[in-house]
Amino acid sequence: MGLLEQLNQDMKQAMKQKDKEKLSVIRMVKSSLQNESIKLGKDSISEDEELTILSRELKQRKDSLQEFKSAGREDLVKKLEVEINILQEYMPKQLTEEELEVIVQSTIREVNATSKKDMGKVMSAVMPKVKGKADGSRINKLVQQHLD
């Protein structure tokens, strides 16, 4: 089942259960997906493009969450945490630290990286491999640990 079909089913379920938060998030994601397909001039978008949109939405909320926490806006923090949890239901299973470690080490060997100067090369090679399955900041920390 594609993401759009899943969202439609979950939207119907959220309407029946009167789950306003979930309904709001689902509508927002559907809107983002439709806007992207219009922007690309396509009737439908690929799974990879869907994942990119979901990742972008999740990252925006995580960034906002940090801002609201530092500003002491607990009301908005709670709302965003609920939205993040709902969005994560649609993301692929996240990689464990061990799985990420293996991917990072093998990529460092693939691109023959030896120092922190090669960080960009490594990051650009790792990110497509873990798209949607790991946060960029986690990967960045691991790459930095392995490059001296």
Side-chain angles (χ1 to χ4, degrees):
M1 178 185 325
L3 179 61
L4 208 50
E5 294 90 29
Q6 181 68 43
L7 288 170
N8 285 330
Q9 280 187 352
D10 291 350
M11 189 165 84
K12 289 175 192 172
Q13 194 67 31
M15 288 171 147
K16 288 177 186 174
Q17 296 174 346
K18 298 186 180 358
D19 186 345
K20 291 180 182 176
E21 290 89 6
K22 188 166 190 167
L23 187 59
S24 170
V25 172
I26 291 171
R27 284 182 172 153
M28 175 272 315
V29 171
K30 281 187 64 173
S31 173
S32 294
L33 291 170
Q34 289 169 336
N35 288 340
E36 189 73 16
S37 72
I38 289 168
K39 189 173 102 179
L40 296 172
K42 298 179 181 178
D43 288 337
S44 63
I45 54 179
S46 70
E47 277 187 42
D48 199 37
E49 292 164 330
E50 290 174 346
L51 190 56
T52 300
I53 294 164
L54 272 177
S55 297
R56 182 174 52 218
E57 295 292 337
L58 195 57
K59 183 177 182 336
Q60 286 173 351
R61 276 156 188 73
K62 285 181 178 179
D63 291 346
S64 297
L65 184 67
Q66 293 307 315
E67 295 293 321
F68 291 148
K69 278 183 178 178
S70 63
R73 294 291 311 266
E74 283 305 311
D75 55 329
L76 296 174
V77 167
K78 287 183 179 122
K79 181 180 181 290
L80 273 179
E81 285 173 342
V82 169
E83 288 183 14
I84 288 170
N85 288 335
I86 293 169
L87 278 172
Q88 285 177 331
E89 292 175 22
Y90 299 100
M91 294 295 288
K93 181 180 171 286
Q94 297 294 294
L95 294 170
T96 64
E97 287 298 318
E98 294 78 30
E99 292 169 324
L100 265 180
E101 187 88 28
V102 169
I103 292 169
V104 167
Q105 287 176 350
S106 67
T107 305
I108 287 173
R109 284 191 298 274
E110 281 174 26
V111 298
N112 296 321
T114 55
S115 68
K116 291 212 189 267
K117 291 178 189 172
D118 299 321
M119 180 101 177
K121 260 198 291 189
V122 176
M123 288 297 291
S124 62
V126 169
M127 291 310 286
K129 295 177 183 178
V130 297
K131 187 172 193 146
K133 297 177 188 168
D135 186 50
S137 60
R138 281 175 60 199
I139 297 163
N140 191 313
K141 287 177 189 169
L142 276 174
V143 172
Q144 284 183 6
Q145 288 172 7
H146 290 286
L147 293 178
D148 296 324

